[in-house]
Amino acid sequence: MHALFQPLPAPNRDQAAHDTAEALRDRPGQWARIETLGNPNRAANLAYRIRSGRHKAFQPAGAFEATARSSDDGTASVYARYTAAADHTGIAR
């Protein structure tokens, strides 16, 4: 066993999801297609995780609306929007 001293890596986080959530916050009330998945169940699950705030980038719960729509080719897209100009803490953005 050898000691290799190096900085601790940053926690693993999905930067794309955080960037998407920020883009939605910048345009409150506007729907955007944020993801297309090959399985309608996966798309519905992602929409649920966004709505419920279980996806960390889209917290707090209720700050975003999300829904999944199926396509004729078997894929499904997730659409989301930020629902308020305030960040749900009472502080206006």
Side-chain angles (χ1 to χ4, degrees), residues 31-64:
W31 287 100
R33 185 178 63 201
I34 62 167
E35 185 75 77
T36 300
L37 299 166
N39 180 313
N41 289 333
R42 290 183 60 209
N45 182 270
L46 176 58
Y48 167 76
R49 290 179 31 232
I50 291 169
R51 288 190 310 270
S52 65
R54 291 178 188 246
H55 195 303
K56 189 172 184 173
F58 296 92
Q59 291 178 350
F64 294 86

Side-chain angles (χ1 to χ4, degrees), residues 7-81:
L8 184 64
N12 188 11
R13 102 178 199 184
D14 184 356
Q15 187 61 47
H18 288 272
D19 292 345
T20 298
E22 188 60 32
L24 294 172
R25 285 185 187 97
D26 288 342
R27 297 176 73 167
Q30 294 184 13
W31 287 100
R33 185 178 63 201
I34 62 167
E35 185 75 77
T36 300
L37 299 166
N39 180 313
N41 289 333
R42 290 183 60 209
N45 182 270
L46 176 58
Y48 167 76
R49 290 179 31 232
I50 291 169
R51 288 190 310 270
S52 65
R54 291 178 188 246
H55 195 303
K56 189 172 184 173
F58 296 92
Q59 291 178 350
F64 294 86
E65 291 181 21
T67 189
R69 295 287 191 263
S70 296
S71 299
D72 291 337
D73 66 359
T75 63
S77 295
V78 178
Y79 293 83
R81 70 178 174 175

